[in-house]
Amino acid sequence: MESMLLFGSDLNKIKNADLVVYTAAIKKDDVELLEAKKLGIETCERAVFLGKLTRAFKETIGISGTHGKTTTTSLISLCFIKAGFDPNVQVGAILDQLNGNYRIGESEYLILEACEYVESFLHFHPKAEIILNIDNDHLDYFGNIDNIKKAFSNYVKLLPEDGLLVYNGDDANSKDINKFSKAKCVSFGIKNTEANYVSKNIEFDKNGYASFDVYKNGTFFDTFKLSISGMHNVLNATACIALCDNYNVPNEAIKEAFLSFKGAHRRLEYKGEFEGVAVFDDYAHHPTEIRATADSLNRKIFNESWVVFEPHTYSRLKNLLEEFADSLIGFDHVIITDVYAAREKNTFKVSAKDLVDKLIEQGKSAQYITDFENIVSFLKRSTKKDDIVLTLGAGIVTEISDMLLKD
């Protein structure tokens, strides 16, 4: 069967497909989906398709959590590759070492992101799981944090007794999730010194890259160094170490993988510079993620920071307006552009201007600029040598970073 990745609508290619896989974000009246059904071509929702795929492997490793899935999945995948385990991989961003977002190996290992949106991960058949964190997100579907926690507990229950659960001992919503599983359970953390794997003596270099010691059950385990910045990535790396150790991945393979990983695309990705101004791009679209990105950025050496934030979905902006304003305080200059609606219509009576007003209420200088060309012109007039510009969001705001770097 030939696989095809289509951008936009192309009904001519649909007729040659054996199977059409669609995501939860695709609406029922999508023209390609309707065409496939009209032609009698089998269709399958992506989570269901992946669920069937996970049945084919003896060692399916699902990395889940509200934040950090892509980075942690990437780290684990590279560790397994460096160890010679030849894993199959599916990750949610482009990874340079894979020349894409997937890898086909010859082993029984399948490493993949397990997304909680619309409880997609409940279709999976995992042998091992990582729960990175549980946070208030996708409230358009879940409604409240209790429903989110219930979904994660149901996911954990999928593990067999001879499986493995690696969970965040620092996170209030995750630290007791082991009670829902009969599998082997190991915890990781930084603040919780009672966790099975704890990172200590954390130091950052001028790029914001951390070196740290890991203690296993209270005993020194080894020292590791990252080539990505931020305290949150130390925690992601600690989760990776905990899982890899339980899969007998040698420490030297872990260290080599950590040094080689410069980040997945759109995860504080360095895009280039103009007139001495460094340009970065990041996918963060939740207040917790924005705080983590701000922490990572502020560990670098620079003059002033300029963030261009594109809110992602009206429901998320409405439910987390105060939190978004608080999370953006960590940048020197803030520009807000229009909401990227994604799957939604604006029935929530909220706009990007509301976020600007909230920031101004808190004493932060913030600008509301809708046109991308105007944002680029403003930044080129306002920034100085050794400043940093960051485009932030899960929508099309990344286009601005590319526009800034054009001659």
Side-chain angles (χ1 to χ4, degrees):
M1 179 177 70
E2 180 185 4
S3 63
M4 295 176 289
L5 181 60
L6 308 180
F7 293 92
S9 298
D10 191 337
L11 300 184
N12 288 324
K13 288 186 177 180
I14 288 290
K15 65 184 180 182
N16 296 320
D18 298 306
L19 173 68
V20 173
V21 180
Y22 60 94
T23 73
I26 296 297
K27 297 179 180 179
K28 292 181 179 180
D29 61 352
D30 178 82
V31 293
E32 291 178 336
L33 191 58
L34 291 175
E35 182 70 8
K37 291 179 178 179
K38 175 184 174 183
L39 296 173
I41 298 170
E42 183 180 357
T43 64
C44 184
E45 202 277 323
R46 177 180 177 273
V48 176
F49 176 78
L50 281 177
K52 292 179 179 179
L53 189 63
T54 61
R55 284 183 178 273
F57 297 89
K58 293 180 180 178
E59 296 288 343
T60 292
I61 301 169
I63 294 85
S64 192
T66 313
H67 320 292
K69 292 187 290 292
T70 295
T71 294
T72 308
T73 303
S74 300
L75 286 171
I76 292 169
S77 300
L78 294 179
C79 289
F80 274 54
I81 292 169
K82 294 292 185 183
F85 288 6
D86 197 17
N88 301 275
V89 176
Q90 192 277 314
V91 65
I94 300 300
L95 186 58
D96 287 340
Q97 288 90 338
L98 302 184
N99 293 316
N101 70 333
Y102 71 94
R103 180 183 193 271
I104 299 174
E106 295 293 334
S107 72
E108 289 293 332
Y109 298 110
L110 172 61
I111 303 168
L112 79 165
E113 292 188 33
C115 182
E116 75 278 10
Y117 181 59
V118 299
E119 299 174 286
S120 294
F121 54 11
L122 297 186
H123 292 283
F124 296 177
H125 300 271
K127 183 68 176 295
E129 295 176 358
I130 290 181
I131 306 297
L132 293 167
N133 41 65
I134 302 173
D135 203 352
N136 243 336
D137 200 11
H138 301 304
L139 295 177
D140 56 321
Y141 174 79
F142 287 111
N144 56 58
I145 188 64
D146 289 335
N147 289 333
I148 300 172
K149 291 166 66 175
K150 183 178 179 180
F152 275 92
S153 65
N154 286 334
Y155 175 58
V156 166
K157 290 175 184 176
L158 296 177
L159 283 169
E161 289 189 23
D162 63 344
L164 173 68
L165 173 64
V166 178
Y167 66 99
N168 188 344
D170 285 357
D171 182 58
N173 291 324
S174 307
K175 64 180 182 179
D176 297 322
I177 201 165
N178 57 311
K179 67 184 179 183
F180 296 105
S181 177
K182 294 181 180 180
K184 179 181 179 181
C185 299
V186 297
S187 56
F188 66 92
I190 295 175
K191 298 177 182 177
N192 182 358
T193 57
E194 299 300 315
N196 298 110
Y197 293 82
V198 181
S199 288
K200 301 180 180 180
N201 306 321
I202 303 166
E203 297 180 352
F204 294 90
D205 65 17
K206 64 180 182 180
N207 295 310
Y209 303 160
S211 60
F212 54 98
D213 297 330
V214 172
Y215 286 74
K216 176 182 175 182
N217 297 324
T219 301
F220 175 75
F221 181 63
D222 213 332
T223 299
F224 299 87
K225 181 169 177 56
L226 297 175
S227 296
I228 50 177
S229 60
M231 185 66 77
H232 66 295
N233 279 322
V234 176
L235 197 58
N236 290 336
T238 310
C240 171
I241 292 164
L243 182 129
C244 286
D245 183 44
N246 280 272
Y247 271 90
N248 298 315
V249 176
N251 285 6
E252 290 308 311
I254 299 173
K255 292 179 181 181
E256 188 178 347
F258 282 7
L259 289 176
S260 72
F261 180 61
K262 308 296 183 182
H265 287 211
R266 301 220 61 213
R267 271 63 180 179
L268 201 57
E269 179 185 2
Y270 174 71
K271 300 296 292 284
E273 69 173 54
F274 68 93
E275 297 178 1
V277 177
V279 179
F280 290 82
D281 180 51
D282 196 275
Y283 187 74
H285 54 285
H286 183 283
T288 301
E289 296 165 352
I290 294 171
R291 289 189 189 94
T293 301
D295 172 75
S296 297
L297 198 71
N298 288 328
R299 293 183 186 279
K300 298 180 181 295
I301 297 174
F302 60 92
N303 182 30
E304 291 185 307
S305 60
W306 302 75
V307 62
V308 184
F309 177 55
E310 178 187 47
H312 186 263
T313 73
Y314 296 105
S315 59
R316 186 180 283 115
L317 181 60
K318 177 72 172 181
N319 287 311
L320 301 173
L321 184 64
E322 294 274 358
E323 291 89 339
F324 274 119
D326 290 340
S327 69
L328 290 164
I329 294 296
F331 301 100
D332 296 316
H333 305 276
V334 181
I335 300 166
I336 308 295
T337 192
D338 284 330
V339 176
Y340 184 77
R343 56 191 172 268
E344 293 182 341
K345 294 181 179 179
N346 189 9
T347 60
F348 300 90
K349 298 181 179 179
V350 69
S351 74
K353 183 66 166 56
D354 294 325
L355 179 54
V356 173
D357 293 341
K358 186 65 65 175
L359 282 161
I360 293 172
E361 281 178 22
Q362 297 185 9
K364 191 71 181 178
S365 174
Q367 309 252 3
Y368 172 52
I369 308 176
T370 62
D371 183 78
F372 283 11
E373 292 282 358
N374 290 341
I375 292 173
V376 169
S377 296
F378 175 79
L379 287 170
K380 289 201 170 183
R381 289 196 312 270
S382 305
T383 54
K384 297 179 176 63
K385 187 177 182 296
D386 296 326
D387 282 357
I388 284 180
V389 170
L390 171 68
T391 51
L392 193 65
I396 58 174
V397 69
T398 183
E399 294 175 5
I400 293 173
S401 61
D402 296 326
M403 292 165 67
L404 282 165
L405 298 173
K406 286 183 179 178
D407 294 333

